[in-house]
């Protein structure tokens, strides 16, 4: 790829970001292979895998559906195999979300008992949610917090035959009707995960339609527990995000400080580190080592969580380095001393780069392990104050071994962070009406949530950014969550000045309100925050989410959490664009159901379109159709 | 005359042919054994912007590799038409002239770097292992003229489509 600089796509075919292209040149000249190089080495990729028609479940197999073998040895069709594989992906994603939520519930309990350095960050939200789930809100805050945590843990663990309370409470009534009709209102999430995994064992559930309904059921469980409950509990503990500004891209790295990167999804250890980093004790350690101080940066969604709370519990946050594909390159600067890896998205390739430099990788979650990484500071709510100090000491020790081979790109951009229903209401003076009026009048044509992962299949962030720019040009307000947030932050789309790139209507609204045309809703679990926002808008207009001029796009989806997110958006009634074609195309029935038939049942459907401009146009056409139907 | 013929559009890059080739040329005769022995494939799947493109020896009528082979190890069998440097009177000395001469780049060094390795048409098999393994029928072992006839019919169908 490095030899293709003359092509017109050259500036973006590796990455849409100048910093990453510069760093890729550096890793190549240092002889370090990264994702981009390994991607090339993996070409061509197996067409059976791409189409999802490979089954490795039993020892008769592996079986593949081919022209000369149209069914597996057991008799399973392509649709059965594809749907069963999809169930397994969705189960993985749902399961991972429960880990995040459980860590939060446990932390809230320990905090309520006074055993952690944290305190309840949003008492108002605690009381609001506790009241909704039927707790006595006159109880003392800590007692109430503990009770709410117990409610959430019980919801996670109850049977599959006991409908999730949170779905009944939070879902729009019209959605509940649709889901009840299909029998997809889920019960306890862990029970749902058990049932789904059991169904997807060989020869238990081989009906592609029932398997697809299982995916929908899982996605609703993941949506209301993994997403909505997680963001709510996170807000209660760490505070609801507030509007703030920060910076993003590798240029934020300070060569003169001890540099710690919080990488992953669960911001608990990182928040504890931020709380103690400015203490005299820790600062003295850094200064003794010859550094000017200690800085904590963000990578991926943990960074987004810190950024959107950088006015409160994330105070001291030094900026966002980037998303999934940035992880090897941030280390290749030579100026990162320690990476705290929590939960998912820590790739083994990071270790290869870390070994070339002095960077210490530390697992800070009991479920995360990486070959060659021997430092584990597994998060314990009761011990996190001390664990945070230990991590800083490790970072200072690593700093002492830092070499001279440092290259930090100069690129960085400002970004506004902290958008949520609450901040939008705050900015609009307590009512959604100004926003709704702008939508009704057509100044804002509609809203598209461009969310989820990044993927190098079409160039790092290239596709996502093309879609965002195309949408805002056509007066569609864009909301980001997850790795797509980093993409927009780095390219300056989350600055009010980016309104200049928007169409006339959206530009005027942005200027009047002083907001960017691309709103930063935070991390990938904050897709739940988008769900909450869409629910509020639908309720305010008295319509179903599927009637709104709204769509979702995961233009560079990568992993299993994104699979359930995508299906959840469909179940929520939204047209959902999915970037790299998911591994379902080998099953004609499954493909037809997901891209066509499901719309009549759930209101949403999957839009598969590899061309980003065409994808944006299809979403705008969808928005126009919904507007026409609403008569606005 | 039968040859390994390629339908490029059908190849989906699963690489099964490379595994089957390695197995056919391994001591164990099966895929897992071949992977453990480190046997290399003699059929090569290249990637052009992610599209899989099999590149394999054409067993040319006037093979440049045979002309280039000074040791006389590389020979074209006058009966079967197979071009190989294996099992002939003279032995390969590893001068790599054949590798330089081959216009397709389908001759490679053996893993120990002593001899040239290329498709031998699976001499002992009725149908070459790669063809037998191909799930998408991108590779077919068929009479060259018969392949042309099939192609011709496909072309005719495309040409006639607007009219019939």
């Amino acid at each position: 790829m490095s030899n293709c600089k003359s092509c017109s796509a050259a500036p973006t075919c590796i990455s849409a970001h100048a910093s990453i292209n510069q760093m890729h040149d550096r890793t190549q000249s240092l002889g370090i292979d990264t994702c981009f190089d390994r991607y090339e080495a993996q070409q061509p990729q197996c067409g059976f895998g791409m189409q999802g028609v490979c089954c490795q479940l039993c020892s008769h197999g592996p079986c593949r559906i081919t022209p000369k073998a149209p069914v597996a040895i057991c008799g399973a069709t392509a649709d059965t195999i594809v749907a069963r594989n999809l169930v397994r992906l969705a189960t993985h994603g749902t399961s991972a979300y429960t880990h995040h939520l459980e860590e939060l519930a446990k932390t809230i309990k320990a905090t309520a008992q006074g055993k952690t350095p944290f305190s309840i960050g949003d008492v108002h939200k605690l009381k609001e949610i506790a009241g909704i789930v039927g707790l006595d809100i006159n109880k003392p805050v800590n007692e109430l917090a503990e009770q709410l945590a117990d409610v959430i843990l019980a919801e996670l663990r109850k049977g599959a035959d006991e409908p999730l309370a949170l779905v009944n409470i939070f879902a729009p009534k019209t959605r509940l009707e649709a889901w009840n009709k299909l029998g997809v209102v889920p019960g306890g999430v862990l029970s749902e995960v058990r049932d789904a995994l059991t169904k997807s064992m060989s020869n238990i559930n081989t009906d592609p339609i029932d398997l697809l309904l299982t995916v929908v059921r899982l996605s609703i469980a993941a949506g209301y527990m993994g997403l909505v409950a997680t963001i709510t509990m996170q807000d209660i503990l760490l505070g609801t995000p507030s509007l703030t500004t920060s910076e993003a891209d590798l240029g934020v790295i300070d060569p003169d400080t001890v540099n710690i990167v919080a990488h992953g999804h669960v911001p608990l250890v990182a928040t504890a580190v931020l709380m103690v980093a400015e203490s005299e004790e820790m600062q003295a350690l850094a200064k003794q080592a010859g550094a000017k101080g200690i800085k904590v940066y963000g990578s991926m969604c943990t960074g987004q969580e810190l950024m959107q709370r950088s006015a409160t519990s994330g105070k001291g946050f030094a900026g966002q380095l980037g998303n999934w594909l940035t992880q090897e390159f941030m280390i290749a600067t030579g100026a990162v001393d320690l990476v705290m890896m929590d939960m998912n998205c820590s790739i083994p390739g990071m270790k290869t780069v870390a070994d070339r430099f002095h960077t210490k990788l530390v697992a800070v979650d009991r479920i995360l392990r990486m070959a060659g990484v021997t430092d584990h500071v597994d998060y314990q709510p009761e011990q996190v104050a001390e664990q945070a100090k230990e991590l800083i000491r490790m970072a200072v020790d690593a700093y002492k071994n830092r070499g001279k081979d440092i290259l930090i790109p100069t690129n960085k951009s400002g970004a506004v962070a902290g958008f949520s229903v609450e901040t939008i209401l705050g900015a609009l003076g307590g009512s959604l009406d100004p926003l709704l009026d702008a939508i009704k009048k057509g100044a804002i044509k509609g809203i598209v949530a461009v969310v989820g992962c990044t993927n190098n299949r079409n160039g790092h962030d290239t596709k996502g950014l093309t879609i965002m720019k195309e949408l805002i040009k056509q007066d569609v307000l864009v909301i980001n969550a997850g790795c797509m947030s980093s993409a927009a932050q780095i390219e300056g789309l989350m600055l009010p000045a980016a309104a200049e790139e928007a169409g006339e209507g959206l530009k005027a609204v942005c200027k009047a309100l002083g907001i960017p045309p691309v709103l930063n809703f935070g991390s990938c679990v904050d897709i739940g925050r988008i769900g909450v926002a869409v629910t509020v808008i639908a309720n305010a207009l008295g319509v179903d989410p599927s009637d709104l001029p709204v769509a979702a796009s995961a233009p560079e989806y990568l992993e299993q959490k994104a699979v359930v997110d995508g299906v959840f958006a469909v179940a929520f009634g939204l047209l959902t664009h999915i970037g790299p074609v998911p591994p379902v195309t080998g099953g004609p029935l499954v493909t037809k159901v997901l891209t066509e038939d499901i719309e009549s049942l759930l209101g949403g459907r999957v839009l598969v379109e590899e061309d980003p401009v065409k994808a944006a146009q299809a979403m705008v056409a969808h928005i126009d159709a919904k507007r026409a139907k609403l008569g606005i | 005359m039968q040859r390994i013929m390629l339908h490029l559009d059908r190849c989906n890059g699963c690489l099964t042919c490379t595994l089957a080739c390695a197995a056919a040329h391994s001591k164990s005769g099966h895929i897992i054994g071949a992977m453990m022995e480190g046997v290399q494939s003699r059929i090569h799947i290249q990637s052009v912007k992610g599209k899989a493109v099999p590149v394999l020896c054409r067993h040319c009528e006037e093979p440049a590799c045979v002309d280039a082979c000074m040791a006389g190890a590389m020979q074209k069998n006058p009966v079967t038409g197979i071009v190989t440097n294996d099992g002939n009177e003279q032995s390969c000395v590893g001068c790599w002239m054949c590798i330089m001469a081959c216009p397709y780049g389908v001759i490679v060094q053996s893993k120990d770097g002593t001899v040239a390795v290329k498709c031998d048409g699976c001499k002992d098999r009725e149908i070459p292992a790669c063809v037998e393994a191909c799930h998408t029928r991108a590779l077919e072992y068929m009479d060259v003229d018969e392949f042309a006839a099939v192609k011709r019919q496909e072309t005719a169908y495309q040409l006639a489509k607007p009219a019939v």
Side-chain angles (χ1 to χ4, degrees), chain A residues 132-382:
Chain A
I132 291 173
V133 300
L135 298 174
D136 174 8
I137 60 165
N138 297 314
K139 291 242 169 78
V141 166
N142 282 339
E143 198 178 320
L144 194 60
E146 204 172 343
Q147 283 184 350
L148 180 62
D150 279 331
V151 167
I152 293 295
L153 288 172
E155 284 286 297
L156 272 176
R157 289 164 188 169
K158 68 189 191 182
D161 53 351
E162 302 169 79
L164 274 177
L166 267 67
V167 176
N168 278 316
I169 291 168
F170 288 113
K173 296 297 157 247
T174 42
R175 287 290 92 199
L176 270 176
E177 279 164 28
W179 297 339
N180 272 317
K181 219 161 139 188
L182 283 178
V184 291
V185 174
V189 191
L190 299 183
S191 302
E192 292 294 344
V193 164
R194 177 205 59 217
D195 280 5
L197 263 182
T198 307
K199 283 183 187 182
S200 62
M201 192 179 139
S202 47
N203 317 322
I204 291 182
N205 192 325
T206 51
D207 174 6
I209 295 298
D210 193 76
L211 288 164
L212 283 179
L213 288 171
T214 304
V215 174
V216 172
R217 203 176 154 108
L218 276 172
S219 80
I220 296 170
Y224 282 94
M225 291 295 283
L227 298 173
V228 174
T230 301
I231 60 146
T232 306
M233 296 298 267
Q234 212 148 258
D235 285 357
I236 288 171
L237 181 69
L238 302 175
T240 299
S242 52
L243 285 185
T244 178
T245 54
S246 187
E247 287 183 324
D249 209 349
L250 293 177
V252 302
I253 297 176
D254 186 338
D256 300 323
T257 51
V258 172
N259 292 326
I260 301 173
V261 178
H263 174 85
H265 289 80
V266 186
L268 300 171
V269 174
T271 301
V273 169
L274 271 176
M275 288 168 84
V276 77
E278 290 300 311
S279 70
E280 259 178 49
E281 183 192 353
M282 294 295 122
Q283 289 292 320
L285 271 181
K287 282 175 187 148
Q288 279 161 22
K292 276 200 320 201
I294 300 162
K295 284 195 175 168
V296 180
Y297 307 91
S299 167
M300 296 202 37
C301 289
T302 301
Q304 298 298 345
E305 299 287 1
L306 300 178
M307 185 193 278
Q308 63 183 348
R309 297 186 180 85
S310 56
T312 54
S313 62
K315 202 167 251 161
F317 176 63
Q320 177 75 359
L321 302 187
N323 57 17
W324 196 99
L325 277 166
T326 311
Q327 53 188 300
E328 294 171 296
F329 299 102
M330 68 188 187
I331 295 174
T333 59
V336 168
D337 302 306
L338 184 139
V339 181
M340 305 184 289
M341 306 183 292
D342 73 64
M343 207 166 102
N344 62 321
C345 293
S346 289
I347 63 170
M350 207 162 32
K351 179 74 177 123
T352 314
V353 192
D355 286 346
R356 173 66 177 69
F357 295 92
H358 71 297
T359 309
K360 190 173 261 306
L361 304 183
V362 186
V364 297
D365 190 315
R366 66 185 165 82
I367 60 166
L368 188 141
R369 290 294 182 265
M370 186 184 284
V373 171
T374 50
D375 295 294
H376 310 141
V377 182
D378 297 341
Y379 172 65
Q380 293 283 346
E382 297 82 1

Side-chain angles (χ1 to χ4, degrees), chain A residues 43 45 47 64 66-68, chain B residues 12-13 16 47 132 134-135 137:
Chain A
Q43 301 307 310
Q45 287 166 299
R64 293 171 295 188
T66 70
K68 69 181 185 192
Chain B
N12 72 358
T16 307
S47 169
E132 211 170 65
C134 180
H135 280 278
R137 297 190 185 125

Side-chain angles (χ1 to χ4, degrees), chain A residues 106-128:
Chain A
K106 282 185 191 166
T107 304
I108 288 182
K109 280 187 81 167
T111 301
Q113 293 161 4
K115 293 176 182 166
T116 76
F118 309 119
S119 53
I120 299 303
D122 190 339
V123 175
H124 175 76
K125 190 167 269 187
L126 166 68
K127 291 197 169 173
E128 184 192 339

